[in-house]
Amino acid sequence: MTHIQSRFGLGRRIAAAGLVAAAMLGGVGSAPEAAAQTIDTVRVANGLSNPLYVTAPTGDYNRAFIVEQRSGTTGRIRILNLPGNTLNAAPYLSITGVSTSGEQGLLGMAFHPNFLNNGYFFVNYTNAAGTTIIARYQANAPFATSTTANAASATTVLTIAQPFNNHNGGWIGFAPGDTDGLLYIGMGDGGSANDPNGNGQNINALLGKMLRIDIDGPDNTPGNADDDGFPADANRLYTIPATNPFVGVAGADEIWHTGLRNPWRNSFDRANGRLFMADVGQNVIEEVSVSAAGVGGINFGWRCMEGNTCTGLTGCTCNAATLRNPILQYNHAGGACSITGGYVYRGCAIPSLTGQYFYADYCSGQIFTNNYAGNGTTLAGASVNRTAELAPGGGLSISTITSFGEDAYGEIYICDQAGEVFKIVQNPIVDCNTNLIADACDILRNPALDTDADGEIDSCERSACCVGTVCSQTTEAGCAAAGGVWQGLNRSCTEPGICQPLPVNGACCLPAGCQILTQVACAAAGGTWQGADTTCDPNPCTPACPCDWNTDGSLTSQDFFDYVAGFFNGMGDFNEDGDTTSQDFFDFIACFFEPPVGC
């Protein structure tokens, strides 16, 4: 029996059947259920026709794109608007004439790494004849906001004949940070059971492989003439990367890895470029394999091995050193039948999940995570069953999981064959500015929202606010609403003297001279305070010369003559007692001939 044959043919939901039993490698279910209810799922779309993928262009935080396998003979791509989760009624793109066989139809989509500037994206579908088509399309302008793609822009990149209607693979993708336009294509072995044509181990066949082709050409710009390395072949619009493992030796140059049965949902780890491949088993074993970034030429063993078990079929030497065993596997106990690969979580909203690889079983409906940190040559530890934790509640359920997906933030989605898409979320969401986007994702998109880099949006941070001399902890907006003065980020009302008036300094005249003191300190020192903000330069404490009658700054005979003239005119009140008398005259003469300090 080929379990993946029934993956898309089921018209009913299959109830979850308990934990999948532990297998020999990386035993699923042997770890306890996650205790803390820190994550949840919410339904973001429903009423879809066989949804089986969610993706988004790099840097496009406002949209997610949902691939519908088919409605009749038409495969469609739909836009989910974020963060409000509204689904556009009109398809972004419709592809007519897709196969209606169970596992066939529109199966995959990948945006060019520079999509927001060039508008190119790629699809993987099987046509009415059952042939795999990798095609390039271009969005209508403006690429970042257009609600439709240009259906007339369809350009065939690669065609691969399929001998049977199952095991088509269907995933396509670019490695994180790609600048060379290298498109990876996951191909199944061509179907039936036990790979009767031996494609998995045939290095001259493209089936049963992970392929890698250069769709940009040597100039790394799509749409130019040099994209076509095979001008005489209309079914091969690409060039061969020089570092592919079979370049210059026997074997098809497009091949990156060999020995795959039906890789159903592959993904790159955004943090380090590791390639995760979930390969659907034949009768007993479901498995996940990993290759390090940039490392090709690995043989994963099918058809002579299923997981790390010998099948007895020909094609390679079982358990040979040249074969790579999976990092984890599980058997078909508990109703399991077919693995659905997912993603290593590298999103921003749920830090507790960072580094966890998500995967599921199609038949049992169980969802797992595994904290695998290796590059594929070591075994994974036990996986954690997340099924109960991710149950959406409210009468909803997730089963018959056809695929996982990611948005531009790296948040993970789950596709349900019943026409639903769910998003994995933190419960409760940390959304202080109530814009439906987790604060950590807001900051990732715009670091200026968190100028002190403490992980909290500045406008949401509570800091000291002074209303008069009363201090309270509130946000900047709350402080303004209260008529207060916000003290800036990271200030506390427990700080000494906060919101209290600052001591006012001024010049203080002391016997020893002028000093800058507060009024209280000046009085305590026995000085004379000159007022707020006065200074000692010019020095207000220097005594004036009373004999300098004309106040020109020097004591001369002119002061004597000026005083005498003023005295006889009634204006010689030297001692300032209100009248001019002989005493004023004698006091001035005494001052003039024996000048005091200051003269």
Side-chain angles (χ1 to χ4, degrees), residues 273-292:
R274 294 179 302 169
L275 177 58
F276 281 70
M277 294 159 281
D279 205 4
V280 177
Q282 177 63 46
N283 294 313
V284 180
I285 300 296
E286 307 299 313
E287 62 189 89
V288 177
S289 295
V290 172
S291 65

Side-chain angles (χ1 to χ4, degrees), residues 212 243-245 255-257 291-299:
R212 188 176 77 155
T243 53
N244 276 9
I255 295 173
W256 184 244
H257 295 312
S291 65
V295 177
I298 300 172
N299 187 337

Side-chain angles (χ1 to χ4, degrees), residues 20 24 89 123 227 242 298 363 403 450 464:
V20 177
M24 290 173 284
V123 296
D227 295 354
I298 300 172
C363 292
S403 186
D450 180 24

Side-chain angles (χ1 to χ4, degrees), residues 331-358:
N331 61 33
H332 290 177
C337 76
S338 180
I339 192 169
T340 298
Y343 292 83
V344 176
Y345 180 80
R346 299 294 181 185
C348 41
I350 319 174
S352 62
L353 291 180
T354 299
Q356 298 285 333
Y357 172 68
F358 278 81

Side-chain angles (χ1 to χ4, degrees), residues 67-78 91-100 105-109 121-128 131 133-137 149-152 154-155 172:
V67 174
E68 292 180 305
Q69 181 190 7
R70 61 173 176 268
S71 176
T73 59
T74 300
R76 299 182 300 199
I77 298 170
R78 307 283 296 277
Y92 182 70
L93 176 68
S94 294
I95 299 176
T96 59
V98 302
S99 171
T100 58
L106 179 56
L107 303 178
M109 178 184 191
F121 64 95
F122 299 80
V123 296
N124 183 336
Y125 70 94
T126 45
N127 64 16
T131 299
I133 307 292
I134 309 298
R136 185 185 71 197
Y137 286 83
N150 179 8
T155 303
I172 53 176

